[in-house]
Amino acid sequence: MIEIREVVTVDRAASDVFAHLARIEALPAWLPPIRTAEQLDPGPLRIGTRARLTIDGPGRTIRATAEITELEPATAIAFRTLDAPAGVRARCQLVPLAATRTELRLTASIELPGLLRFAEGVARDRIRREMPIALEELRRRLEASVASGGSPSTGDAPTSG
């Protein structure tokens, strides 16, 4: 089993960080292996909400369904895969350090089945290389949106209407 623990500090309120993490369609913008993400169940995000993910896997594209397993606004969000070749569980915990400063603690476990276990070392090394970069990209996007007055989901400046 591959275990991941990463921490990044973001100069942004926990509620803003959570709002971004809770936007399923924003995953590909900061999590490199995910190419597309769409919410399958209508309405607001809740425990049990499912998402369809397209992921760059080793040598092929993987389609997976994920399910929200924990949802505590401005505190934590977690999910698990339901039908992917690998069992993935991930959790983001948000710890406010100040009114506009948040520590994001990401923990994840990935269980590779059958013959895929032989690739566990390679997969672990790749994830450990890429995850800090992905979290740094998330931090950069969130903080840039503060500086520009834009939305934390895109980093773009707000539009007038």
Side-chain angles (χ1 to χ4, degrees):
M1 182 175 307
I2 301 169
E3 298 284 338
I4 297 142
R5 288 178 174 41
E6 293 289 337
V7 176
V8 66
T9 300
V10 182
D11 287 331
R12 189 84 172 172
S15 59
D16 293 335
V17 176
F18 180 85
H20 183 70
L21 295 175
R23 288 191 64 240
I24 290 171
E25 65 276 5
L27 284 172
W30 64 272
L31 206 50
I34 298 178
R35 290 292 165 224
T36 64
E38 73 173 295
Q39 184 172 324
L40 295 175
D41 301 306
L45 207 61
R46 63 193 177 282
I47 292 174
T49 296
R50 294 168 304 132
R52 179 174 297 119
L53 308 174
T54 304
I55 304 163
D56 282 343
R60 65 185 177 112
T61 299
I62 298 168
R63 296 195 188 283
T65 305
E67 173 186 53
I68 299 294
T69 57
E70 181 181 2
L71 190 68
E72 297 177 40
T75 302
I77 186 168
F79 76 90
R80 68 183 176 126
T81 56
L82 298 174
D83 59 1
V88 178
R89 291 186 176 273
R91 181 176 192 261
C92 290
Q93 178 184 5
L94 305 175
V95 179
L97 302 176
T100 59
R101 191 168 172 89
T102 304
E103 184 176 88
L104 186 156
R105 298 175 183 169
L106 171 73
T107 56
S109 63
I110 303 167
E111 189 167 349
L112 300 175
L115 293 176
L116 288 177
R117 283 189 218 133
F118 289 111
E120 191 169 287
V122 172
R124 180 183 296 111
D125 290 346
R126 179 179 173 190
I127 292 165
R128 288 193 175 147
R129 267 192 327 269
E130 291 178 357
M131 193 52 63
I133 296 166
L135 289 178
E136 179 60 23
E137 175 63 13
L138 174 62
R139 182 202 62 75
R140 187 196 64 73
R141 284 176 173 274
L142 287 165
E143 290 178 0
S145 71
V146 172
S148 70
S151 161
S153 61
T154 63
D156 297 335
T159 57
S160 57

